[in-house]
Amino acid sequence: MPLKTGPRKARLALAACAALVLAGVAGGAAWHAAGDDGKPVGTWHEAPAAAARTPVSVDDQKAGQRPAREAAPDSPVVASPGAEPFATEPATAEPGSVTREPESATVPRAGSPERPVESGAATGREQVGELVNVRKLLRLQGDQPQREKFHYPGATFVKLHFSRMDLEPGDYVTVSNADGTEEHRYEAPTPDDPRGGDRWAMSVTGDTAVLEVHRAEQDEEGLDGPAGVDVDRVARGFSRTEQERQPEKQLIAPGRTGREESVCGSDTSADAVCYRSADPVAYTKSKAIARLLINGTELCTGWRIGTQNRLLTNNHCFTTSAEAYDTEVWFNYQCAKCGGPEVVKPTKVWGAQVIATDRTLDYTLFSVDKFASVQKFGYLSLDTKRPAKNQQLYVPQHPAGKPTRISGALGEKAGNCMVVNPGYDGYATASDVAYYCDTEGGSSGSPVLSRATNKVVALHHFGGCPNSGVRGDLLATRLAKYL
């Protein structure tokens, strides 16, 4: 299978929701509607030439598990820090066992330059924004809301971090976008909250976040107290142009060939909405995936697995409940029209608890807060049988932070998106399925579905052409007790 390794700029016209270059538009995204019902809420624009870049700061996470927003599940967390040995079994082995398909050539080691972790960074996650250090102190004065605007021209989202929230019961904080069509409210921290006011706010879509502090009532003496909030960091989402450059800059390292882009031949992926009429089943299944915004600036893909409050992503995306707690889970982040520049407003919830995680099979199973709000997007199921060689596939994903795309040609044919080896080496012998489906950084954690069954046959995690994912039958056996 020939591999195309040209620069990303040569494929700019294929970028999700950015196929149209919006000439003559200055400034950032223009957000003009609300709702997760398919109405457009924004456009990716070019970043102004004068927009300053700030070096990415490191978000030092506190060790340990933070309290969940919901009751912790009964299931224990299963962690496997090292590789597990898998025995090679006969081809007639039961589902969940590992068998090896003969290789036509030596398989590059998983995680090597030839088969990199798909998200490519040292953390294994795709960079989709940067942290800007700020110092904004907003004090309550009288009974009028105090207001501060955070504006970053060209940003696709803005996310605030509070270092302190000194509020009385009844006081609250809101963070909204420029026109108020997206707003998130935060009450005063409770005395038993160990974080106090040290927390991330949910991101708002667009280039502007408006912070307001509201007082329940004035002090009896009518005097202003020290109550208020401090913002010490802002996560600014990369513009379309910056995001097109970022993966190439971050993933190319000494000794690499450019194959880490993992677009095999011509890119046959397309905006998910393009499949609505041409392949309605694939389009419907793609609704179950989510864009994971981790620590405000990093990305993976995840998806609902089964009917309960369970989502699956890669172990190299995150492993602890503390990380899940600060992860935004965006459902329905997709283009409004096929090939168009506008995106619809996603439904955003927080991650909650890590239920099980394993390095060898590279999975993390977790739950989310406000599960009822995302149930409508449906769920996917693991296939307990291994796919056959040449079986056609499709992969819904969020490559390079883009709105949902599906890899695999429209209609009944999948192009080059098919199984080339159902017993490929991953972190263990024959633990992966190999395929030539087009993926990019940020696709880590995506489901690989069979067109024959519309079930998940692999959990995508490696690029390199062929790309590969952990076998779905192995995951089905390992995760059965949690689903």
Side-chain angles (χ1 to χ4, degrees), residues 334-454:
Q334 62 171 293
C335 297
K337 295 181 180 179
C338 180
E342 294 181 322
V343 295
V344 299
K345 179 184 176 182
T347 297
K348 302 177 183 179
V349 294
W350 291 104
Q353 290 285 307
V354 166
I355 298 161
T357 190
D358 184 272
R359 182 181 180 277
T360 303
L361 295 185
D362 201 8
Y363 70 79
T364 291
L365 185 73
F366 66 104
S367 62
V368 296
D369 186 31
K370 298 183 179 178
F371 174 62
S373 66
V374 300
Q375 282 183 287
K376 59 189 174 185
F377 297 114
Y379 63 91
L380 303 176
S381 300
L382 289 166
D383 200 329
T384 58
K385 297 181 180 179
R386 293 171 65 182
K389 191 171 183 178
N390 298 324
Q391 185 170 333
Q392 295 187 332
L393 309 169
Y394 62 98
V395 186
Q397 57 189 289
H398 287 287
K402 301 168 188 173
T404 309
R405 292 179 72 82
I406 300 177
S407 181
L410 291 169
E412 296 180 357
K413 295 183 178 181
N416 64 349
C417 191
M418 62 180 65
V419 176
V420 295
N421 191 336
Y424 203 60
D425 284 354
Y427 283 126
T429 302
S431 61
D432 277 20
V433 173
Y435 39 81
Y436 282 98
C437 308
D438 297 317
T439 59
E440 294 183 66
S443 299
S444 286
S446 299
V448 181
L449 291 93
S450 164
R451 283 184 175 268
T453 65
N454 290 298

Side-chain angles (χ1 to χ4, degrees), residues 120-422:
T123 60
R125 301 186 289 249
E126 174 73 5
Q127 200 77 18
V128 292
E130 63 183 1
L131 292 176
V132 180
N133 292 319
V134 299
R135 182 63 173 169
K136 295 290 184 180
L137 313 178
L138 201 59
R139 297 289 179 260
L140 282 169
Q141 298 176 359
D143 57 0
Q144 296 299 314
Q146 300 304 300
R147 194 170 188 265
E148 183 74 36
K149 182 183 291 186
F150 298 81
H151 180 59
Y152 300 91
T156 49
F157 66 83
V158 179
K159 182 177 175 70
L160 307 183
H161 182 267
F162 301 113
S163 59
R164 187 185 72 95
M165 296 180 71
D166 185 5
L167 302 173
E168 297 296 326
D171 296 345
Y172 64 95
V173 173
T174 59
V175 180
S176 62
N177 62 351
D179 61 9
T181 54
E182 181 182 3
E183 181 178 283
H184 304 281
R185 173 168 168 160
Y186 307 92
E187 308 293 336
T190 58
D192 59 349
D193 187 341
R195 298 176 307 158
D198 182 9
R199 67 184 66 198
W200 280 104
M202 186 73 79
S203 65
V204 292
T205 313
D207 64 359
T208 302
V210 180
L211 170 65
E212 288 190 351
V213 184
H214 302 258
R215 166 166 281 172
E217 58 184 26
Q218 248 184 312
D219 296 338
E220 292 182 3
E221 296 83 0
L223 301 175
D224 298 324
V229 298
D230 296 354
V231 178
D232 62 345
R233 283 168 288 171
V234 177
R236 178 191 73 85
F238 289 141
S239 69
R240 177 184 65 82
T241 304
E242 290 172 312
Q243 193 63 61
E244 284 297 324
R245 293 194 302 261
Q246 185 67 23
E248 185 177 28
K249 177 181 177 182
Q250 191 170 56
L251 295 183
I252 291 177
R256 296 222 174 169
T257 64
R259 294 201 298 174
E260 61 277 356
E261 292 184 18
S262 302
V263 173
C264 307
S266 298
D267 190 350
T268 61
S269 67
D271 301 334
V273 69
C274 302
Y275 287 69
R276 180 181 288 166
S277 58
D279 194 341
V281 173
Y283 173 71
T284 299
K285 293 294 183 181
S286 74
K287 289 280 191 175
I289 76 161
R291 183 184 198 259
L292 306 183
L293 182 60
I294 305 165
N295 296 333
T297 61
E298 298 173 308
L299 178 82
C300 279
T301 300
W303 46 282
R304 274 196 63 203
I305 176 171
T307 59
Q308 301 184 59
N309 184 0
R310 300 287 186 267
L311 279 83
L312 197 63
T313 190
N314 286 145
N315 170 273
H316 75 254
C317 293
F318 63 82
T319 61
T320 68
S321 293
E323 292 174 297
Y325 198 83
D326 279 336
T327 294
E328 295 184 21
V329 183
W330 296 17
F331 281 89
N332 201 39
Y333 181 60
Q334 62 171 293
C335 297
K337 295 181 180 179
C338 180
E342 294 181 322
V343 295
V344 299
K345 179 184 176 182
T347 297
K348 302 177 183 179
V349 294
W350 291 104
Q353 290 285 307
V354 166
I355 298 161
T357 190
D358 184 272
R359 182 181 180 277
T360 303
L361 295 185
D362 201 8
Y363 70 79
T364 291
L365 185 73
F366 66 104
S367 62
V368 296
D369 186 31
K370 298 183 179 178
F371 174 62
S373 66
V374 300
Q375 282 183 287
K376 59 189 174 185
F377 297 114
Y379 63 91
L380 303 176
S381 300
L382 289 166
D383 200 329
T384 58
K385 297 181 180 179
R386 293 171 65 182
K389 191 171 183 178
N390 298 324
Q391 185 170 333
Q392 295 187 332
L393 309 169
Y394 62 98
V395 186
Q397 57 189 289
H398 287 287
K402 301 168 188 173
T404 309
R405 292 179 72 82
I406 300 177
S407 181
L410 291 169
E412 296 180 357
K413 295 183 178 181
N416 64 349
C417 191
M418 62 180 65
V419 176
V420 295
N421 191 336

